[in-house]
Amino acid sequence: MKRLLSIIVSFTILGIIYWKIDFPQLIQVFQNSNILWIIISLGMVIPLTMLTAWRLQQLIPIGKRLGFFEANRLILAASVLNMILPSKMGDIAKAYFMKERGHLSGSLSLSLVIFEKACDLLSLLLWCVFGLIFYSQNNWLFWVMTASVTLGLITGVLLLASRQFTELFFDIIRLILPKKIHPKLENLRSSWRQMHNYFWRDKVHLIRIATTSIFIWFLHLLQIWFFILALNAWTPFLTNLALSPLAILAGLLPLTFAGIGTRDAALIVFYQPYFSAPTAAALGLLCTSRYFLPAIAGLPFLGQYLTTIQTVQANKKFLRF
């Protein structure tokens, strides 16, 4: 029912957007687009997936093995679930797949994936804050967003860097959330502690992963800027570093299907000073393709993982019998 509602919300927002804008002009934007830049920008999905897979390999402890091809399969399979689950929670499925295929224990695999998602979010916030510093917009909304993003970045860094702050944070969240959520919250607290213990033992390794994450998200935002060039539009690159992360964050809100609708609306609002609504709507479609193309490529791998997991679970039941 929640998925159905999110799909309804997404299509409702898209319906309003396409009703308000000049739809023939949207088609005209794509007809006038630069094909070479379209190919270059969409083609960046491949190196971005491979670089993310390499980072996943680096997260695996010494003595454990995760092949490069296997890491890519995990990334692509998670991309399928990211199209279904809210806030890119399909990435958490990687922990389950690694556990069931015998790569890592359940708690450690979850800790690694949580750290990976934390690095991604903080890298996105870092570039957003960097861009907003140079974004000259005398608008109270952007001042509020700048303060909110900066606060989120500081909080995230403290959660990764300080165990005392982390314990205080979880204690506060425990007081706010209903009791039925407490067991899941405690599991998350336990995984976060294990993540702290694992990554802070080797600070060089920690810096390498963090630097790689920042670079990966620079490429993601560069890809969106290439989308703008492909549509024969223009936005200063530093401005794009401020605005595109805000649109991505809007898409992470668990309101719509894979962020479709909220992300498109955010792009139209934020990029209004630089190009027309039809161009921004076209940019929204290209940004959706960033998630859609890996999901299509990951469909066969997701099926293989689900089949393997079913076989493993059936064997476990047989052995218990």
Side-chain angles (χ1 to χ4, degrees):
M1 181 58 68
K2 290 181 180 179
R3 287 293 85 202
L4 179 60
L5 288 174
S6 67
I7 292 173
I8 292 173
V9 172
S10 287
F11 280 97
T12 299
I13 296 175
L14 286 180
I16 294 173
I17 289 173
Y18 294 142
W19 177 60
K20 288 285 188 181
I21 68 173
D22 186 351
F23 191 76
Q25 191 176 349
L26 171 63
I27 303 300
Q28 189 69 32
V29 169
F30 279 113
Q31 290 176 342
N32 295 334
S33 62
N34 188 308
I35 300 300
L36 178 60
W37 275 115
I38 289 282
I39 295 173
I40 292 173
S41 55
L42 291 178
M44 287 184 68
V45 168
I46 297 174
L48 278 167
T49 301
M50 297 175 67
L51 188 57
T52 305
W54 179 82
R55 183 187 61 178
L56 182 60
Q57 278 188 296
Q58 303 306 305
L59 289 169
I60 303 298
I62 297 175
K64 303 289 184 178
R65 186 178 182 277
L66 180 66
F68 183 64
F69 181 67
E70 177 75 3
N72 277 279
R73 287 177 15 152
L74 282 167
I75 298 297
L76 293 173
S79 298
V80 182
L81 296 176
N82 282 334
M83 293 295 295
I84 303 171
L85 301 176
S87 303
K88 297 194 71 177
M89 291 305 293
D91 287 331
I92 299 297
K94 288 186 293 191
Y96 181 71
F97 293 148
M98 287 190 286
K99 169 182 172 292
E100 291 298 323
R101 291 175 71 90
H103 295 298
L104 297 170
S105 66
S107 60
L108 181 56
S109 62
L110 180 60
S111 300
L112 297 185
V113 172
I114 288 174
F115 179 75
E116 182 186 38
K117 284 186 68 65
C119 283
D120 280 335
L121 181 58
L122 291 179
S123 298
L124 179 63
L125 294 178
L126 177 65
W127 285 118
C128 186
V129 169
F130 179 77
L132 285 170
I133 291 174
F134 296 96
Y135 185 56
S136 57
Q137 180 65 258
N138 295 321
N139 186 317
W140 69 267
L141 178 60
F142 278 92
W143 284 112
V144 171
M145 287 189 291
T146 300
S148 301
V149 171
T150 304
L151 178 61
L153 177 62
I154 294 173
T155 302
V157 171
L158 288 175
L159 284 172
L160 286 180
S162 171
R163 295 182 184 182
Q164 293 80 6
F165 181 84
T166 299
E167 293 299 327
L168 176 62
F169 178 83
F170 277 106
D171 288 338
I172 294 173
I173 295 297
R174 184 184 176 87
L175 294 175
I176 298 173
L177 295 178
K179 290 185 178 180
K180 64 180 181 180
I181 306 294
H182 288 181
K184 293 182 180 180
L185 183 64
E186 289 305 313
N187 289 336
L188 179 59
R189 187 203 291 255
S190 176
S191 297
W192 201 274
R193 286 170 180 164
Q194 185 170 1
M195 180 266 292
H196 264 282
N197 294 332
Y198 173 70
F199 283 102
W200 281 102
R201 288 183 300 182
D202 188 348
K203 292 183 176 59
V204 174
H205 180 61
L206 176 66
I207 293 172
R208 180 166 65 246
I209 297 299
T211 304
T212 303
S213 300
I214 293 171
F215 180 64
I216 287 174
W217 272 99
F218 174 80
L219 294 180
H220 277 299
L221 302 179
L222 180 65
Q223 181 188 33
I224 295 175
W225 191 60
F226 285 169
F227 285 154
I228 295 174
L229 298 183
L231 296 173
N232 288 316
W234 173 255
T235 302
F237 182 65
L238 287 177
T239 300
N240 182 69
L241 289 181
L243 300 182
S244 55
L246 293 176
I248 292 173
L249 291 172
L252 292 178
L253 296 174
L255 303 173
T256 55
F257 178 72
I260 298 172
T262 50
R263 183 172 53 246
D264 300 77
L267 288 169
I268 292 174
V269 172
F270 294 148
Y271 284 91
Q272 186 177 12
Y274 298 97
F275 40 77
S276 65
T279 302
L283 178 60
L285 291 174
L286 289 175
C287 286
T288 299
S289 71
R290 299 175 59 250
Y291 307 100
F292 189 65
L293 293 177
I296 293 177
L299 278 172
F301 302 129
L302 179 63
Q304 294 173 13
Y305 280 119
L306 294 177
T307 301
T308 301
I309 289 171
Q310 289 174 351
T311 303
V312 170
Q313 291 178 342
N315 290 337
K316 287 180 180 177
K317 290 180 180 178
F318 177 77
L319 291 173
R320 285 200 298 268
F321 178 76

